[in-house]
Amino acid sequence: MLDTFLKQLVNGLSLGSIYALIALGYTMVYGIVKLINFAHGDVMMVGAYAGYYVLRVMGATPLGLSCAFIASMVVCSLLSLLIERCAYRPLRNAPRLNSLITAIAVELILQNTMRVLPFVGPDPRQYPTMAVKVYTLKTTAFPNGLISISNIEIIVIVSSVALMAILNYLVSYTKTGKAMRAVSYDMGAASLMGINVNKTIAITFVIGSVLAGAGGVLYATKYPQIDPMMGYIPGLKAFVAAVLGGIGSIPGAMVGGVILGIAETMTKAYISSQYADAISYGILIVILLVKPAGLLGKKTSVKV
């Protein structure tokens, strides 16, 4: 039983780290402009396809995977600039319902555009992946192995942790990060202090999309099949993770992603895979009822 539990824990950590990467994009954009970018999961999908074509050319080698990461990040960053400039910036001061409708429209446009592109199409594609190697820790009590982890899971977990550490440093210790925090706290005051608000918001979109692109490659590496609709469910799960941790809180998105990933894999292992999605959305309902601000979120009061 212990070895099964540890294996599922590793699976949960790898899946949760991907959710956390994607959730960071949601929480950063919301923290700055108070907008839920529902197209974020589809940006992840575009990143997965960018990595797919690089891997088709270079092969599923460490160098090929590194180039796939770079390509997905570049493509997703350019796409995010286009989305922010054309769709979200004109609606920055519009009613929230208009912004929500626009976000859903952008999501549908991305999905259906990818479906009709001749070099993509609606059919699923097998994602090139590295040969799987499993490393097992054996003990006297567990001669068949106490815990096992594959090279794919190692890549997913290490890459996710490294990217989250880089993001934490960027937000906490750089001039750009200070500008982002200032705009998040008070956009008007930040503008008066000489901060370029439009540039800062665009950078926030880019950073979130870079993480989504990396998450797309990692997700497709772990679950090696892609299609134009692949971003919907992971994007929705990442949104649940962001709300669970506290939407607008970067540490909250990380914690929420890991918790959600572990909960999902444990449900599949010990209850039924059919209930995995229900458990994830059930967690969202419970957290909204019990602690609407999320685990690490802060309550805010609005004066009228």
Side-chain angles (χ1 to χ4, degrees):
M1 293 295 292
L2 180 59
D3 54 338
T4 302
F5 173 80
L6 291 176
K7 176 59 180 173
Q8 296 305 323
L9 183 62
V10 171
N11 289 336
L13 287 173
S14 61
L15 179 60
S17 61
I18 296 173
Y19 287 158
L21 278 181
I22 306 171
L24 285 168
Y26 281 110
T27 206
M28 289 177 66
V29 170
Y30 183 83
I32 292 275
V33 295
K34 299 300 182 288
L35 168 70
I36 302 297
N37 180 18
F38 281 111
H40 196 61
D42 297 286
V43 172
M44 181 208 84
M45 174 267 295
V46 173
Y49 270 97
Y52 167 81
Y53 289 109
V54 171
L55 290 171
R56 283 285 302 273
V57 173
M58 301 190 65
T61 62
L63 177 60
L65 189 59
S66 300
C67 292
F69 272 116
I70 295 172
S72 67
M73 290 176 179
V74 171
V75 170
C76 288
S77 63
L78 294 176
L79 178 61
S80 70
L81 286 175
L82 179 65
I83 292 173
E84 191 276 333
R85 184 65 183 87
C86 297
Y88 294 146
R89 187 179 297 185
L91 294 173
R92 192 173 296 164
N93 298 317
R96 291 190 178 182
L97 179 60
N98 292 2
S99 300
L100 177 61
I101 294 172
T102 301
I104 295 173
V106 172
E107 178 184 26
L108 295 174
I109 289 171
L110 288 176
Q111 290 175 359
N112 288 282
T113 299
M114 294 295 282
R115 286 170 62 88
V116 300
L117 288 177
F119 55 88
V120 178
D123 298 327
R125 295 173 182 259
Q126 189 69 19
Y127 208 76
T129 56
M130 301 172 64
V132 177
K133 296 181 181 178
V134 179
Y135 305 95
T136 304
L137 174 63
K138 297 182 179 180
T139 65
T140 304
F142 295 90
N144 294 326
L146 173 62
I147 185 172
S148 59
I149 183 170
S150 70
N151 57 335
I152 302 297
E153 290 169 332
I154 293 174
I155 291 172
V156 169
I157 294 173
V158 172
S159 301
S160 299
V161 171
L163 287 170
M164 287 186 279
I166 293 171
L167 174 65
N168 185 65
Y169 175 82
L170 176 66
V171 172
S172 302
Y173 300 105
T174 66
K175 184 177 180 180
T176 299
K178 292 178 181 178
M180 290 166 61
R181 285 184 280 133
V183 173
S184 174
Y185 185 75
D186 192 322
M187 190 179 298
S191 179
L192 292 175
M193 294 299 292
I195 295 174
N196 189 327
V197 172
N198 288 333
K199 180 181 177 180
T200 302
I201 292 174
I203 290 174
T204 303
F205 270 85
V206 167
I207 293 173
S209 296
V210 162
L211 296 176
V217 173
L218 292 174
Y219 188 85
T221 300
K222 184 173 175 60
Y223 303 102
Q225 183 171 285
I226 59 173
D227 65 79
M229 302 298 292
M230 64 168 287
Y232 177 73
I233 295 299
L236 194 57
K237 298 282 185 67
F239 172 68
V240 173
V243 174
L244 171 61
I247 190 78
S249 168
I250 291 177
M254 300 177 188
V255 172
V258 172
I259 291 175
L260 190 66
I262 293 175
E264 186 173 325
T265 54
M266 291 299 178
T267 301
K268 291 179 180 178
Y270 293 105
I271 303 176
S272 172
S273 59
Q274 296 179 348
Y275 293 105
D277 290 344
I279 292 295
S280 300
Y281 304 138
I283 290 175
L284 173 62
I285 294 172
V286 171
I287 200 68
L288 289 176
L289 291 174
V290 176
K291 201 173 189 299
L295 297 176
L296 301 181
K298 297 179 181 180
K299 289 185 177 180
T300 57
S301 57
V302 179
K303 295 181 179 180
V304 294

